[in-house]
Amino acid sequence: MLDNSEGYVTEDGRKIGGVVMEMKNITLRFGGVVAIKDISFDIREGEIRAIIGPNGAGKSSMLNVISGFYVPQEGEVWFHGSKRPQMRPFEVAQQGIARTFQNIALFEGMSVLDNVMTGRLGYMKTNIFQQAWWKGKAEAEETENREAVEKIIDFLEIQHIRKTPVSRLPYGLKKRVELARALAAEPKLLLLDEPMAGMNVEEKEDMSRFILDVNDEFGTTIALIEHDMGVVMDLSDRVVVMDYGKKIGDGTPDEVRNNQEVIDAYLGVSHD
Amino acid sequence: MGRRERLAQTQSGAEGMHSLLALLHRNATQFGDAPAYREKEFGIWQCWTWTEAAKEIRAIALGFLELGVEKGDHIAVIGRNRPAHYWSMVAAQMVGAIPVPLYQDAVAEEMTYVMEHCGAKYVVCGDQEQVDKVIEIQEKVHQIKHILYTDKRGMRKYDHSQMNALEDIMAEGSAGHARFDAELDKRIAEVTYDDTCVMLYTSGTTGKPKGVVLSNRNVIESAKNSADFDHLTRNEDILSYLPMAWVGDFIFSIGQAYWCGFCVNCPESADTMMTDLREIGPTYFFAPPRVFETQLTNVMIRMEDAGKLKQRMFHHFMAHAKKVGGLLLDGKPVGFGDKLKYALGNLLVYGPLKDTLGYGRFRVGYTAGEAIGPEIFDFYRSLGINLKQLYGQTEATVFITVQPDGEVRADTVGVPAPDVELKIDDSGEIHYRSPGVFVEYYNNPDSTASTKDAEGWVATGDAGFIEESSGHLRIIDRAKDVGKMADGSMFAPKYVENKLKFYPDILEVVLFGNGKDRCVAFINIDLTAVGNWAERNNVAYASYQELAGHPRVLETIRGHVEAVNKSVAADEMLSGCQVHRFVVLHKELDADDGEMTRTRKVRRGFVEEKFHDIIAALYDGSGQVSTTTEVTYEDGRKGSISATLEIVDAPVVPVAQHKVAAE
């Protein structure tokens, strides 16, 4: 099924398209430490792709390679059919990749609305003088972008905190605001770094629902890193499993769940 | 334009208006450009004029015809307060069907009974959550022909063979209007004054919910009388946020709104209600006591966090307001100096406070559904907010008694509303007769007969008496809740509970003692207030349960109980109702667990049975009790929590032996 380059259809009837991003033999080193060792996998259009693994497996490093923050020493990143040259993170963002962070990176003093508006930065074309003058172009531009942002605020059900400074919000809501900001960029590929970390069961359920809804409603391709195995297995279409910088499994949740190497990595192996 | 003129204008041509449809037509033709509905969506208040609303409603009605809705069919409406849901109810009437609004937070199991009882073939759902519930219900009842929904989110994957977005059937209906216009006009013309306007289910403090059938006559006469009573005009603004299944919301947001032609404002979501309230600044407002209690709690919490100067200013002027505010509102004489000081207070404290609360334009408002604590009531009135009480029932189309301006008191519920006759029977139960008296309980002639007699008198189930000096009605309690203590003195739980609930720390109280020698109580803490206190006093807690059981919290609550006992002891009739022992419960009483009705009234009998082990411990003198309680999560799953609760003894004031009445 996965060999079909035209994509596949999931159990719940969603159509998954062709390959959007392909990682080819990626190796990433920090001095003598090998964080990622010769890993290859692909992400298909419209799918939810998870990268899992125990602590220190290299998951976040992998996400940072995708987002252009780290440049691998070896290997190639292909995006939409062309090899990606070395890029700075903002150039990657311009290509349509948005992300959230493991340790929330919002502007604490700004309101939720303003934070989400920063996600629209790529769509603002007016210069500093036009914005200072405000009337006319800058105003029209803000109205237009505010509309897009309000749709996302409605979608993620955060209307009640629209004007609240982010610093006053509980952790679970901050995570949702981060997701809102990433969505505001209308990404083609959304990267989520441990979206469920530190949440209670209810918050996790909410977040899972939002991730599924985003994928379903906007057709956004999502790559996520997550610790919580239960969540990953329920959410994702395909899973990459990493351990000590190596890929030890790749496939549907069921395939991965029954993979002996994966079981060993998670439960440990007895040495008798 | 003066108020009187506006009033005249509002009601011109209102005579002979025998259905909501006729009123809608009048509003759309006489002041079609005036705002009829507003809803905040995407951060902006969207507005529909009466002309636009009439068009939308007709489109829905055409859609209903296209689906094949027959006269007399029931159409259930489940969702939050949104214009489209109100329109659906009126559109249902247009095609001769009967709208049945249901509580949206009811779980599927609860809803199955009413769905089956009314036999609804069509359901208008607010969102995916409600659709899921209805699909679950359909597996049991097999009667639903078509489901409609207003919010399209998440709905793409569903099987749409018997399901549509409301806007899609509106478009289809409008497209086929040439086919349906004649039929629709015929059905509109056939609606009479005595046809059913709406069917509302009582929340049911005991037993199964009953479907109360209200006719056009009931709704329109009640709306007319009450609007006249408070001089409501078409310039009012109301915020519609109370459950659509509650009779009050139907009368305010549809009955009175159509009669007067005023604007109905719908909040963005339940969570934004307070912000939306501020933005709209309603002129006419209604809320259950809970809303006012919550607001007061928030004000007090925020004042405690305020600077020293602000605190002193607040307390100084509030003390003054307490002295003269109520008198000024009632138009009673007040000294010039006091008036001047009140005006200054208004500038510095009352005005800004009212604005923050959203009551800057408040002209008249009601609290209903439950008795409000006198201290809370007086707080709002002293600020110059014309808050009044009314006493009503679904079966009366709300209004039984109302407080007229200038005669507002915390301890009565006012005089009979226009056209309402009142009588108290020998046992003290209140009976009434009015044009608003319901037609019948749907498919339940036995209950109808036992509630409404042949002459149209309805038994309320409440005990009360009419005060001779003023002619005002005073409610003692639910007739079945009022009992006798072992020594024969009166047991009236509501009275004591309301006194305790005045304290911001206390959210809910249930008093027990009927037939016993002393009273004991369950108490729920208010997490907002107590949580804030804990934060300021460095009290660490991990859960509601832990906070509720904290020794310092128990000590505070004990203090409140002691103060209330003192005040209860002063009342000769009720001095037996002092709280001897109490327990702070480990969970909030909740409608999902059946402990409260959807309108947040405690279901005493149920609570007594569910927590019988705790009650036993309260009476047998033990100092602790271990218990396990079943809880229901919002999605209907069940779980359980166990806890060991501290039982606290409260100081009581010794009461002199009751004087024996001379015979």
Side-chain angles (χ1 to χ4, degrees):
Chain A
M1 178 173 72
L2 296 180
D3 299 326
N4 182 0
S5 62
E6 291 306 307
Y8 61 100
V9 176
T10 61
E11 277 172 29
D12 57 352
R14 286 179 307 122
K15 284 194 186 66
I16 302 298
V19 173
V20 183
M21 178 167 260
E22 194 169 8
M23 318 300 286
K24 287 186 181 164
N25 310 94
I26 301 284
T27 298
L28 178 72
R29 281 186 294 265
F30 297 106
V33 182
V34 184
I36 302 173
K37 197 173 172 187
D38 193 26
I39 287 189
S40 305
F41 67 93
D42 60 10
I43 301 171
R44 285 166 183 271
E45 190 173 0
E47 81 177 341
I48 300 180
R49 187 77 150 119
I51 305 170
I52 64 169
N55 270 334
K59 304 184 299 286
S60 283
S61 300
M62 195 71 231
L63 205 71
N64 281 324
V65 169
I66 299 175
S67 72
F69 193 66
Y70 291 158
V71 181
Q73 280 80 3
E74 288 165 36
E76 294 168 353
V77 179
W78 286 66
F79 189 55
H80 278 291
S82 56
K83 187 183 161 193
R84 198 166 76 184
Q86 190 173 334
M87 277 181 168
R88 282 177 289 172
F90 78 89
E91 291 169 321
V92 176
Q94 279 169 353
Q95 281 201 331
I97 298 179
R99 69 169 295 177
T100 67
F101 297 84
Q102 189 174 347
N103 44 350
I104 298 163
L106 291 164
F107 303 101
E108 291 276 319
M110 279 166 32
S111 72
V112 168
L113 179 63
D114 288 340
N115 266 289
V116 182
M117 280 297 272
T118 58
R120 300 293 297 176
L121 213 61
Y123 296 87
M124 309 251 192
K125 300 280 173 273
T126 51
N127 59 38
I128 187 166
F129 301 106
Q130 286 168 316
Q131 295 201 2
W133 176 249
W134 174 243
K135 276 281 157 215
K137 247 192 166 159
E139 188 186 9
E141 193 178 69
E142 176 158 339
T143 311
E144 193 182 299
N145 285 298
R146 171 78 187 269
E147 250 177 59
V149 165
E150 282 294 344
K151 294 221 167 91
I152 289 159
I153 288 179
D154 182 70
F155 188 81
L156 294 179
E157 293 166 15
I158 46 177
Q159 301 101 326
H160 60 294
I161 49 165
R162 190 185 279 129
K163 301 269 169 75
T164 314
V166 163
S167 56
R168 273 175 43 194
L169 297 178
Y171 184 78
L173 274 178
K174 282 187 187 173
K175 281 271 187 193
R176 213 188 293 174
V177 175
E178 255 211 331
L179 178 59
R181 183 180 60 185
L183 280 181
E186 295 177 31
K188 295 194 189 92
L189 174 61
L190 178 64
L191 308 176
L192 305 173
D193 195 350
E194 301 220 11
M196 252 72 82
M199 286 189 174
N200 63 31
V201 177
E202 204 182 320
E203 286 169 333
K204 275 183 190 169
E205 280 180 2
D206 277 351
M207 189 49 109
S208 305
R209 188 167 60 85
F210 284 125
I211 292 172
L212 287 171
D213 282 354
V214 166
N215 175 258
D216 186 45
E217 203 71 26
F218 305 125
T220 312
T221 309
I222 297 172
L224 65 93
I225 289 181
E226 188 48 62
H227 247 105
D228 189 321
M229 283 290 272
V231 170
V232 171
M233 295 306 179
D234 286 349
L235 272 183
S236 33
D237 299 312
R238 287 192 299 150
V239 183
V240 175
V241 193
M242 291 176 71
D243 192 20
Y244 293 113
K246 284 183 293 188
K247 182 168 101 171
I248 57 170
D250 188 355
T252 64
D254 278 335
E255 288 166 7
V256 165
R257 201 179 279 131
N258 297 323
N259 180 328
Q260 191 55 44
E261 258 190 278
V262 176
I263 298 170
D264 292 347
Y266 264 89
L267 299 179
V269 197
S270 59
H271 297 280
D272 51 10
Chain B
M1 216 186 323
R3 168 148 293 143
R4 197 158 290 280
E5 266 172 86
R6 282 202 304 260
L7 199 62
Q9 189 190 19
T10 298
Q11 283 158 359
S12 71
E15 301 314 317
M17 292 285 150
H18 285 170
S19 68
L20 296 175
L21 312 174
L23 288 168
L24 176 65
H25 179 72
R26 179 205 63 183
N27 296 350
T29 46
Q30 283 190 14
F31 37 88
D33 293 336
Y37 290 92
R38 285 194 203 101
E39 182 185 30
K40 197 171 182 188
E41 210 180 5
F42 304 127
I44 293 172
W45 287 97
Q46 321 277 345
C47 181
W48 290 266
T49 65
W50 279 105
T51 313
E52 286 162 349
K55 225 169 123 188
E56 301 277 340
I57 291 167
R58 192 172 171 93
I60 299 176
L62 289 168
F64 282 161
L65 286 184
E66 220 246 336
L67 285 178
V69 175
E70 308 264 346
K71 278 189 82 167
D73 280 349
H74 287 86
I75 300 181
V77 178
I78 319 163
R80 66 183 171 89
N81 311 66
R82 299 194 67 177
H85 298 153
Y86 289 115
W87 298 337
S88 300
M89 292 211 275
V90 181
Q93 202 183 39
M94 239 179 210
V95 297
I98 296 155
V100 188
L102 301 177
Y103 287 98
Q104 58 159 343
D105 48 359
V107 292
E109 201 182 303
E110 233 174 307
M111 221 179 257
T112 309
Y113 173 79
V114 287
M115 284 286 224
E116 198 166 14
H117 186 255
C118 72
K121 288 184 191 148
Y122 304 90
V123 187
V124 178
C125 295
D127 52 21
Q128 186 187 6
E129 186 187 339
Q130 307 300 340
V131 172
D132 285 344
K133 264 191 263 182
V134 172
I135 290 172
E136 195 182 327
I137 293 167
Q138 169 73 342
E139 282 167 14
K140 284 178 205 145
V141 301
H142 308 292
Q143 66 193 25
I144 298 162
K145 286 188 177 164
H146 213 91
I147 299 173
L148 300 161
Y149 54 86
T150 42
D151 190 347
K152 287 187 168 181
R153 174 170 174 184
M155 293 303 304
R156 206 170 333 113
K157 280 181 289 189
Y158 285 69
D159 168 16
H160 273 66
S161 58
Q162 286 180 316
M163 196 185 292
N164 272 115
L166 188 67
E167 61 184 74
D168 293 344
I169 69 131
M170 286 165 79
E172 280 172 33
S174 300
H177 76 95
R179 273 180 295 150
F180 302 119
D181 270 343
E183 171 69 12
L184 184 57
D185 290 333
K186 182 173 145 262
R187 292 209 193 172
I188 293 173
E190 282 168 2
V191 175
T192 72
Y193 211 24
D194 288 304
D195 277 345
T196 302
C197 179
V198 67
M199 191 159 107
L200 300 156
Y201 277 88
T202 57
S203 50
T205 33
T206 49
K208 292 276 183 201
K210 286 179 276 197
V212 179
V213 176
L214 298 178
S215 65
N216 281 314
R217 182 187 298 277
N218 293 149
V219 171
I220 292 178
E221 292 288 327
S222 297
K224 178 170 80 180
N225 284 338
S226 53
D228 285 351
F229 188 84
D230 280 312
H231 314 293
L232 300 178
T233 72
R234 70 181 177 86
N235 294 30
E236 312 301 339
D237 264 304
I238 64 166
L239 187 72
S240 298
Y241 66 98
L242 293 164
M244 290 183 64
W246 180 53
V247 65
D249 189 62
F250 190 84
I251 293 307
F252 300 128
S253 305
I254 292 190
Q256 291 180 336
Y258 278 58
W259 176 261
C260 302
F262 60 63
C263 182
V264 169
N265 300 279
C266 298
E268 190 168 17
S269 76
D271 296 330
T272 61
M273 182 258 168
M274 289 297 174
T275 324
D276 298 331
L277 177 66
R278 246 188 103 179
E279 287 175 1
I280 287 297
T283 58
Y284 175 45
F285 187 64
F286 32 84
R290 180 66 64 103
V291 168
F292 294 109
E293 284 163 18
T294 312
Q295 278 192 325
L296 180 60
T297 304
N298 287 340
V299 168
M300 290 307 177
I301 289 170
R302 286 181 62 177
M303 276 326 295
E304 278 175 33
D305 290 340
K308 277 270 167 349
L309 178 71
K310 274 190 185 164
Q311 279 194 24
R312 281 183 58 183
M313 214 160 78
F314 176 77
H315 291 299
H316 178 79
F317 281 108
M318 282 318 297
H320 183 67
K322 203 171 174 184
K323 203 170 82 183
V324 301
L327 296 174
L328 279 168
L329 199 57
D330 286 342
K332 304 250 165 64
V334 172
F336 181 71
D338 280 342
K339 260 190 197 162
L340 206 64
K341 190 172 170 190
Y342 190 84
L344 182 66
N346 200 28
L347 198 69
L348 294 172
V349 178
Y350 319 142
L353 180 58
K354 279 195 281 190
D355 206 37
T356 308
L357 294 171
Y359 298 149
R361 300 199 300 152
F362 198 107
R363 206 168 61 69
V364 57
Y366 285 100
T367 158
E370 266 225 75
I372 188 168
E375 290 84 355
I376 299 166
F377 190 62
D378 290 339
F379 171 84
Y380 286 95
R381 286 195 60 83
S382 70
L383 287 173
I385 295 170
N386 189 17
L387 182 62
K388 308 199 283 184
Q389 298 195 75
L390 66 76
Y391 169 60
Q393 277 193 329
T394 310
E395 287 84 346
T397 326
V398 180
F399 302 94
I400 300 174
T401 66
V402 210
Q403 292 182 326
D405 286 335
E407 292 179 44
V408 179
R409 286 165 44 190
D411 57 348
T412 77
V413 290
V415 298
D419 289 345
V420 177
E421 297 168 81
L422 215 58
K423 75 177 181 193
I424 313 283
D425 74 1
D426 298 336
S427 67
E429 187 174 350
I430 305 160
H431 294 248
Y432 65 89
R433 186 162 70 174
S434 74
V437 166
F438 71 118
V439 179
E440 59 169 355
Y441 291 123
Y442 185 69
N443 269 352
N444 195 345
D446 294 346
S447 287
T448 310
S450 65
T451 312
K452 185 168 88 163
D453 71 12
E455 288 167 8
W457 287 94
V458 180
T460 58
D462 289 326
F465 61 92
I466 294 172
E467 220 177 53
E468 296 211 344
S469 54
S470 61
H472 281 228
L473 178 69
R474 275 185 74 165
I475 310 281
I476 302 171
D477 208 327
R478 289 289 298 170
K480 62 176 179 345
D481 291 341
V482 177
K484 284 207 168 15
M485 310 279 301
D487 64 357
S489 63
M490 183 158 69
F491 170 71
K494 210 33 120 2
Y495 180 78
V496 180
E497 289 165 5
N498 281 332
K499 276 190 177 294
L500 277 167
K501 276 160 71 176
F502 168 64
Y503 293 96
D505 301 335
I506 298 179
L507 184 72
E508 200 55 70
V509 184
V510 193
L511 190 75
F512 303 97
N514 195 14
K516 306 272 189 172
D517 56 340
R518 59 208 154 91
C519 289
V520 297
F522 286 177
I523 290 174
N524 264 169
I525 55 164
D526 185 324
L527 188 59
T528 325
V530 180
N532 188 273
W533 166 86
E535 201 179 308
R536 276 182 291 108
N537 290 282
N538 289 324
V539 173
Y541 65 98
S543 63
Y544 178 87
Q545 191 177 337
E546 195 179 329
L547 185 64
H550 196 280
R552 286 182 64 189
V553 172
L554 294 181
E555 194 48 45
T556 313
I557 302 290
R558 186 168 177 270
H560 298 333
V561 173
E562 185 178 1
V564 166
N565 278 347
K566 274 191 191 136
S567 119
V568 171
D571 189 313
E572 203 173 320
M573 215 161 58
L574 294 168
S575 57
C577 297
Q578 293 184 63
V579 180
H580 286 249
R581 282 155 68 80
F582 69 88
V583 56
V584 174
L585 287 184
H586 51 300
K587 74 176 279 288
E588 256 182 58
L589 297 180
D590 195 58
D592 286 344
D593 296 325
E595 293 146 352
M596 286 190 154
T597 66
R598 291 283 159 202
T599 46
R600 305 201 59 87
K601 288 179 198 154
V602 173
R603 295 167 81 176
R604 233 165 256 285
F606 184 88
V607 170
E608 194 166 344
E609 205 179 295
K610 180 166 180 177
F611 297 102
H612 62 92
D613 51 338
I614 307 182
I615 297 175
L618 279 163
Y619 277 111
D620 69 13
S622 40
Q624 274 189 339
V625 55
S626 296
T627 183
T628 304
T629 313
E630 184 177 81
V631 290
T632 312
Y633 298 110
E634 264 176 32
D635 58 3
R637 282 180 305 156
K638 304 220 188 274
S640 72
I641 47 174
S642 34
T644 301
L645 305 176
E646 251 353 278
I647 293 176
V648 187
D649 288 295
V652 289
V653 181
V655 183
Q657 197 58 44
H658 287 277
K659 284 181 217 130
V660 179
E663 285 183 70

